[in-house]
Amino acid sequence: MKAFLTFVLLLCGFSTFAQRISVDSLRNSFKNYNIKNIQEKLFLHTDRSFYIAGEILWFKIYNTQATTNQLLDLSKVAYVEVLDKDNEPFVQAKIVLNEGLGSGSLYLPVSLETGNYKLRAYTRWMRNFSPDFYFEQTISVINTFSKPVLKDQVADTYDIQFLPESGIMLLKADNRVACKVLDNFGNSVAYKAVLVNEYGDTLQNFSSHKFGMGQFSIKPDSTRNYKAIFTINDQTVEKALPKIMADGYAIRVDNKNSDLNINVHAPANTSTLNILIHNNQQIKKLESLSLQNGNAALSITESELGTGINHITLFTTEGKPVAERLYFVFPEENPEIAVDMSQAAYGTRSKAELSLTSSAEKRSSLSIAIFQNDDLSNRQSPNIRSWLYLLSDLKGHIENPQYYFGELTEEKKQAMDNLMLTQGWSRFAWEDILTPQYKNIIVPELEGHIVEAYVTDKETGTPGNWVDCYLAFPGQNFQYYSTKSAANGYVIFNAKNVEGQRNTILQGYTATDSTWKFDVLSPYSKDFSESIIPAFDIDISKKDVIESRSIGMQTQNVYLETKINEFQQQFSDTLPFYGNPDQKYLLDDYTRFPTMEEVMREYVPRVLVRKNKGKYNFKVLDMLDEEFFNTEPLILLDGMPILNTNDVINFDPFKIKKLDVVTRRFIMDKVNFTGIVSYFTYNHDYTWQKPDDKAIVFTYDGMQLKREFYSPAYTSNDQKSGRIPDFRSLLYWNPDIVLKEGEKANYSFYTSDKPGKYTGVIQGITNSGKPVYKSFEFEVSDSSN
C-alpha cells in the first residue's frame, strides 16, 4: 500500500512554470510530464476482422509503453468492449494482464444486427487520458438469420477540408495546403479541382492522390478570397480556401534524399524561436532558432529522427506553441520471424505442420491465427505495426492503414505525407505539459481488479463515513475483501483473483443498527472517442462465401458446443485470504453431534461459546496472549459473512465438512478482526443459508475465464472418415507463443472439410519494442495428399 501511495503522489506532484521558457526548461517540462504521465498503448490482435453473428472473436492483448513500445507491466486488467454506432456496448469483458500480455475471446451473439462495430480496449489507468488513446478497431458482423437493414449508400453531400501545413495560410508565403474530401458516410472520395482567385482566374489544377487526400502549394499575393472548384462523381462543388493571414507563424518541411529542410516564418520582430522534435515522446531535437527578418532554416537527416511519427513544434520564448507539423519515418522491413510450412498444399482433414524461427533480439511474444482467406476481411483493421507506429498517435479514422507498410514506394511516401498533413495529433495537448494542473487521478490496477461503490444511509441519504464494508464472493475458492469507506462514502476493494460470473455479497456493518445502501460503479469507461464507424457495405458476389461461413458457425455450435465452450481458471491459488489457519477441524474425523453448539463446545476449545438472553456469541482465544478476545470474530460460511452467531448455532452440522480457526488478530485494509471462524460445506453448497437481511446480493462478472481453443485431431482413419461435419474456417489460434533469438519452434494443426486458400497471420512484439508482423499462405484441396 505504501508503494501504491508513493506512485500516486509522484503522479500528482506537478510543478509550476516560469513566464519565459529556455530550451532547458522546455526539455525538463517535457521529460517531467512523461515521468508523471506514464502512458500505455494497447493493441489487440484479433483472429479476423469479419464475423458471422454466433461466431467467437479471439484476441491477444499487448500492453506497451508509449515511449518505447516495449511491453509494460503496469495494469493487471484490460477492458474490452464491442460498441455499436451509438456507443452502446453489446459485449464486455475484463481480461487478466500479466507482464503486459493477455488473451481472451468474445462470443458475438446472434442478436447482433448486420453492420460494422467498434472493438475497443483500454485499462483503468488509460481513463486518466483522452479516449482517443484507447485501442479501436472496426469489425464487421453479418447476421444471416435476419435481413440486413441497409441505408441508401448514395452520397449527396461532401465534406471538403483544407488543412494548411502550419494551421494557417500566410500572405506572400509559399503555403503547402492539404485537401481531403469525404462523403456523408465518412468514406474518402476521389476528386479533381481547379484553384481560382477572386476574379475567377485559374491558378492551378490539383487532384486527390490516395484515399481522398491530396495537396497543393499557393503563394497568395493578397488576403482576398481564393476558392477551389471540385469535380466529384460528376458533381461540381465550390469551396473557399481558409482565410489568408497578413502575418503569423508557419513551418514548411521538405524532404530531399532523406534530408529534411525545415523553413520557419514568424512576424518580422521575432528574433528567437524554439523548435522541438519528438518521437514516441522522446526528444530527438531541441534547439533555439535565430531568425533574420522573421525567417530561419534548419536541415536535419531522417537518421536523427525516430521511427514512426515525429512531432515538430515551434515555440515562442514564452513557451507558447505556434506551429506544428507531423513527419513520418518508415520502419525498416526486417522480417523478425521466418515461417516454414511442411507442404504448400494439404488435403482436407490432414495434419499441417509449421515451424517458426525468430531472428529478433532476445525474445518475442507472439500470437498466430490461421483462417480461410474468403476475402471478407475489411481493410480498416490495424495490425500491430500500423497501430504502434501510426494509428495510436493520430485522431480520426484512417482508411486502409495497412497500405502504408510493406515495400516502400514513392506513392506510399506521398500518401503518408498527405496523411500527416490531414490527421491531428492525439497523444497529448501542450498545455498539459507547459501549465500542468492538479487533477483527480484514477488509480491504476497494479495488483488486480478494483471494485468501486458508494455507501449511503438508506434513510437520510448521507454518505457512510468510515463504515466497515465487506465484499464476498462465496463458494468454491471463495474470495473475501473488507475495507472502510472514506468520508464521502467511497469504497474501493482490490478484488484480485475473482474470475467468471460470481454470486456476490456486499455489506456494510457497524455496531449500531444502521442500514446501508450501496451503488456499485461500472468499471467500464463512459468516455468515447469521436471516431466514426465506417459505413457497412456488403459485396453481393460474396453471398455463397457468407452462407458457407454461416453453415460452419452453426455446425460448430451444434456439434461442438461443449468443446468450444470449455474454460480454464487462470488463478490456481486455493488458499483462503487468511492463508493457512491456526487450527483446522475435519468434522468427519470426530463423532458427529446433532447440533452445532455441541460441535463447537466439544471439539473447538479455542472458540468460546456463550449465550446471553437467547443470543449466542463466539470469542476466539488469542494465541499470543492466551486470553479470549473481547469482541466476536469474523464468521464465514463458504466465504459468506455470518453476522448473527445464532445462525451458526442453527446450522445443520451434517452439512459442514470442516472449519478453520484463526486464533490471532487479523487486519485487512483498515478492518480489524479478532480471530476468524470459517466453515466449509460439502460441495461448497452454502445456499441453504440466507445472507444477512441487510446484505446486497447480486451477480458480478469477474475476470474472464480463459476459453480453450478447440481444434479436432484426425490421427486415425476412423476419425478422418467421421460423419460429424467439420466446416471450420478458423483452423488455428495460439496467443501464447514465445520465441527466443535463433530458436525454432514447431506447431501443428488439422485442416477442416473446407478446401480453399488459407492465410496465417503472426503478430507480436520483441523485447526491444519492435512490432512483428508476418503473413503466409497455403492451400487445402480435396485432391491433395
Side-chain angles (χ1 to χ4, degrees):
M1 190 67 186
K2 182 178 179 181
F4 177 76
L5 290 174
T6 302
F7 179 83
V8 174
L9 290 173
L10 173 65
L11 295 168
C12 297
F14 295 111
S15 61
T16 58
F17 208 79
Q19 179 120 23
R20 292 182 64 83
I21 299 179
S22 66
V23 168
D24 288 339
S25 296
L26 190 57
R27 178 183 288 108
N28 291 335
S29 295
F30 190 78
K31 289 183 177 180
N32 287 337
Y33 175 83
N34 290 332
I35 291 172
K36 297 170 184 176
N37 294 271
I38 299 171
Q39 292 193 17
E40 299 171 306
K41 284 185 181 181
L42 287 189
F43 173 76
L44 265 64
H45 173 199
T46 59
D47 61 306
R48 288 167 290 187
S49 60
F50 195 103
Y51 298 90
I52 303 296
E55 286 185 328
I56 296 171
L57 183 158
W58 300 86
F59 59 85
K60 169 72 173 287
I61 302 177
Y62 297 89
N63 186 13
T64 66
Q65 186 170 346
T67 54
T68 64
N69 286 339
Q70 292 174 301
L71 290 173
L72 179 61
D73 189 20
L74 178 66
S75 296
K76 296 300 186 289
V77 182
Y79 298 88
V80 180
E81 301 178 281
V82 176
L83 308 177
D84 66 11
K85 60 181 177 58
D86 298 318
N87 289 323
E88 291 294 329
F90 273 84
V91 187
Q92 295 177 314
K94 308 177 186 82
I95 307 299
V96 174
L97 293 179
N98 183 22
E99 296 184 350
L101 299 171
S103 61
S105 61
L106 299 174
Y107 172 73
L108 301 176
V110 293
S111 58
L112 278 180
E113 295 181 355
T114 295
N116 283 338
Y117 293 85
K118 184 186 296 183
L119 173 69
R120 74 169 186 168
Y122 51 90
T123 66
R124 177 182 167 89
W125 175 245
M126 291 171 70
R127 288 168 55 191
N128 288 296
F129 309 98
S130 167
D132 291 321
F133 299 167
Y134 299 173
F135 172 83
E136 291 188 350
Q137 170 183 334
T138 299
I139 62 169
S140 300
V141 179
I142 284 187
N143 190 324
T144 56
F145 298 111
S146 62
K147 187 176 180 180
V149 179
L150 297 179
K151 296 181 179 180
D152 187 1
Q153 295 291 311
V154 179
D156 53 8
T157 59
Y158 298 100
D159 177 19
I160 300 174
Q161 303 172 17
F162 289 119
L163 301 131
E165 185 170 13
S166 299
I168 62 171
M169 290 179 59
L170 287 177
L171 178 67
K172 296 182 180 179
D174 193 7
N175 299 274
R176 177 185 282 119
V177 181
C179 181
K180 184 176 185 179
V181 179
L182 304 173
D183 64 20
N184 51 312
F185 299 106
N187 303 313
S188 64
V189 180
Y191 62 83
K192 293 182 179 180
V194 178
L195 187 64
V196 300
N197 61 18
E198 62 178 316
Y199 305 110
D201 299 328
T202 298
L203 302 179
Q204 60 175 293
N205 297 316
F206 65 95
S207 61
S208 58
H209 177 253
K210 292 285 293 185
F211 310 124
M213 297 181 294
Q215 62 175 265
F216 60 90
S217 293
I218 179 174
K219 193 172 184 177
D221 56 10
S222 74
T223 58
R224 291 188 288 271
N225 297 331
Y226 291 80
K227 67 179 180 180
I229 303 172
F230 289 83
T231 302
I232 307 172
N233 292 331
D234 297 326
Q235 294 185 43
T236 300
V237 183
E238 294 185 0
K239 176 77 172 182
L241 265 62
K243 182 180 179 181
I244 297 168
M245 310 298 293
D247 210 350
Y249 298 88
I251 184 171
R252 176 161 180 144
V253 178
D254 293 288
N255 178 294
K256 186 176 182 181
N257 299 325
S258 297
D259 289 331
L260 265 67
N261 297 318
I262 303 174
N263 290 286
V264 173
H265 179 86
N269 60 352
T270 304
S271 59
T272 306
L273 289 174
N274 295 327
I275 186 168
L276 186 152
I277 305 175
H278 73 86
N279 167 263
N280 276 357
Q281 295 174 240
Q282 294 181 327
I283 295 175
K284 296 298 180 181
K285 195 85 170 178
L286 175 57
E287 64 180 61
S288 179
L289 295 177
S290 296
L291 283 75
Q292 299 292 330
N293 298 321
N295 293 291
L298 176 68
S299 293
I300 60 175
T301 63
E302 277 196 357
S303 60
E304 297 178 69
L305 305 178
T307 301
I309 296 176
N310 291 267
H311 196 196
I312 306 170
T313 309
L314 285 180
F315 291 90
T316 65
T317 54
E318 291 75 32
K320 179 182 178 182
V322 289
E324 291 186 325
R325 170 72 147 94
L326 302 183
Y327 184 83
F328 192 85
V329 175
F330 288 86
E332 294 181 3
E333 294 296 326
N334 291 332
E336 302 287 345
I337 300 295
V339 180
D340 182 23
M341 295 286 292
S342 58
Q343 299 172 209
Y346 300 88
T348 54
R349 300 198 179 193
S350 297
K351 186 177 183 179
E353 298 178 315
L354 76 154
S355 62
L356 305 179
T357 306
S358 172
S359 60
E361 180 184 355
K362 295 185 179 178
R363 75 171 198 166
S364 302
S365 300
L366 308 167
S367 45
I368 180 172
I370 299 176
F371 51 89
Q372 187 173 30
N373 188 352
D374 50 20
D375 292 329
L376 291 177
S377 297
N378 66 59
R379 296 183 177 181
Q380 311 305 326
S381 301
N383 61 39
I384 194 166
R385 285 186 307 182
S386 63
W387 179 259
L388 293 182
Y389 285 140
L390 185 65
L391 280 73
S392 59
D393 289 336
L394 296 179
K395 288 183 179 179
H397 171 68
I398 297 176
E399 184 175 348
N400 193 5
Q402 274 63 266
Y403 163 82
Y404 299 95
F405 296 87
E407 182 182 358
L408 186 58
T409 63
E410 290 301 319
E411 181 184 74
K412 286 183 180 179
K413 289 181 181 180
Q414 182 61 60
M416 181 63 82
D417 194 50
N418 291 337
L419 184 66
M420 294 296 99
L421 291 168
T422 56
Q423 298 293 139
W425 173 261
S426 71
R427 184 52 51 181
F428 58 78
W430 280 113
E431 56 265 26
D432 294 335
I433 294 177
L434 302 179
T435 55
Q437 303 293 324
Y438 175 83
K439 58 181 180 181
N440 291 325
I441 297 294
I442 300 174
V443 297
E445 292 173 309
L446 300 174
E447 298 178 345
H449 179 48
I450 288 176
V451 178
E452 299 172 285
Y454 277 97
V455 55
T456 55
D457 188 284
K458 280 184 178 180
E459 296 179 359
T460 65
T462 56
N465 182 7
W466 294 102
V467 176
D468 285 354
C469 301
Y470 305 88
L471 179 69
F473 299 91
Q476 186 176 11
N477 297 333
F478 68 81
Q479 281 85 33
Y480 182 88
Y481 309 93
S482 64
T483 189
K484 286 184 181 291
S485 63
N488 62 352
Y490 176 67
V491 185
I492 182 169
F493 298 96
N494 194 345
K496 59 183 180 180
N497 299 356
V498 177
E499 289 184 277
Q501 200 171 68
R502 298 289 298 270
N503 292 330
T504 309
I505 299 172
L506 180 57
Q507 189 165 8
Y509 175 74
T510 58
T512 60
D513 194 27
S514 298
T515 56
W516 303 106
K517 173 189 174 185
F518 285 87
D519 293 309
V520 180
L521 306 182
S522 171
Y524 294 97
S525 174
K526 298 300 182 184
D527 297 321
F528 304 95
S529 71
E530 296 180 359
S531 63
I532 299 174
I533 299 175
F536 183 78
D537 188 19
I538 296 178
D539 187 347
I540 302 300
S541 67
K542 300 298 180 184
K543 180 181 178 182
D544 292 341
V545 176
I546 294 170
E547 289 181 352
S548 176
R549 278 277 292 271
S550 178
I551 292 172
M553 175 272 296
Q554 294 176 63
T555 54
Q556 276 194 281
N557 289 345
V558 171
Y559 293 106
L560 301 175
E561 180 181 8
T562 57
K563 296 291 186 181
I564 63 178
N565 288 305
E566 290 186 355
F567 298 87
Q568 65 177 9
Q569 290 187 326
Q570 300 184 76
F571 305 119
S572 58
D573 186 8
T574 57
L575 278 177
F577 67 93
Y578 49 78
N580 289 312
D582 300 312
Q583 292 183 318
K584 181 182 292 186
Y585 300 89
L586 295 174
L587 297 191
D588 286 339
D589 292 344
Y590 301 86
T591 302
R592 285 288 193 169
F593 285 102
T595 68
M596 281 303 300
E597 182 177 0
E598 291 175 289
V599 170
M600 297 301 295
R601 291 185 185 276
E602 297 295 330
Y603 297 144
V604 192
R606 286 187 173 268
V607 177
L608 182 66
V609 180
R610 286 288 182 263
K611 183 179 182 182
N612 183 19
K613 297 181 180 180
K615 179 174 174 55
Y616 286 88
N617 62 70
F618 288 168
K619 301 290 177 63
V620 171
L621 183 66
D622 186 350
M623 62 183 295
L624 298 178
D625 297 334
E626 289 297 322
E627 292 183 359
F628 287 99
F629 289 114
N630 293 325
T631 55
E632 287 203 276
L634 170 65
I635 304 175
L636 301 172
L637 175 66
D638 285 338
M640 180 174 69
I642 305 296
L643 303 186
N644 187 342
T645 310
N646 282 26
D647 291 339
V648 179
I649 299 300
N650 291 328
F651 284 173
D652 181 350
F654 294 98
K655 292 182 178 180
I656 304 300
K657 180 180 181 181
K658 66 174 183 175
L659 69 96
D660 291 346
V661 179
V662 176
T663 59
R664 49 193 155 82
R665 192 177 297 275
F666 190 91
I667 300 175
M668 176 184 280
D669 198 7
K670 309 186 192 90
V671 180
N672 185 354
F673 301 114
T674 52
I676 299 173
V677 180
S678 179
Y679 297 89
F680 295 81
T681 66
Y682 293 94
N683 301 319
H684 317 288
D685 183 20
Y686 63 93
T687 55
W688 46 264
Q689 174 63 38
K690 283 183 59 179
D692 189 86
D693 291 338
K694 302 170 187 175
I696 293 91
V697 181
F698 59 102
T699 301
Y700 192 80
D701 284 325
M703 307 305 296
Q704 186 183 75
L705 293 168
K706 195 165 185 178
R707 188 192 302 264
E708 300 270 8
F709 179 79
Y710 174 72
S711 178
Y714 300 110
T715 57
S716 67
N717 289 331
D718 288 342
Q719 290 173 326
K720 195 167 184 177
S721 59
R723 299 181 63 182
I724 296 178
D726 183 357
F727 295 144
R728 291 173 298 125
S729 56
L730 178 65
L731 300 183
Y732 187 65
W733 167 254
N734 187 342
D736 300 317
I737 296 175
V738 177
L739 290 182
K740 296 179 181 179
E741 182 180 5
E743 182 181 20
K744 182 176 182 179
N746 299 313
Y747 302 90
S748 64
F749 57 92
Y750 286 84
T751 61
S752 64
D753 295 337
K754 299 182 71 172
K757 293 182 178 180
Y758 284 78
T759 297
V761 172
I762 301 170
Q763 301 199 60
I765 198 82
T766 68
N767 264 22
S768 61
K770 186 171 183 178
V772 176
Y773 177 85
K774 179 75 174 179
S775 64
F776 58 94
E777 294 184 346
F778 61 93
E779 289 192 12
V780 174
S781 173
D782 287 332
S783 59
S784 298
N785 294 323

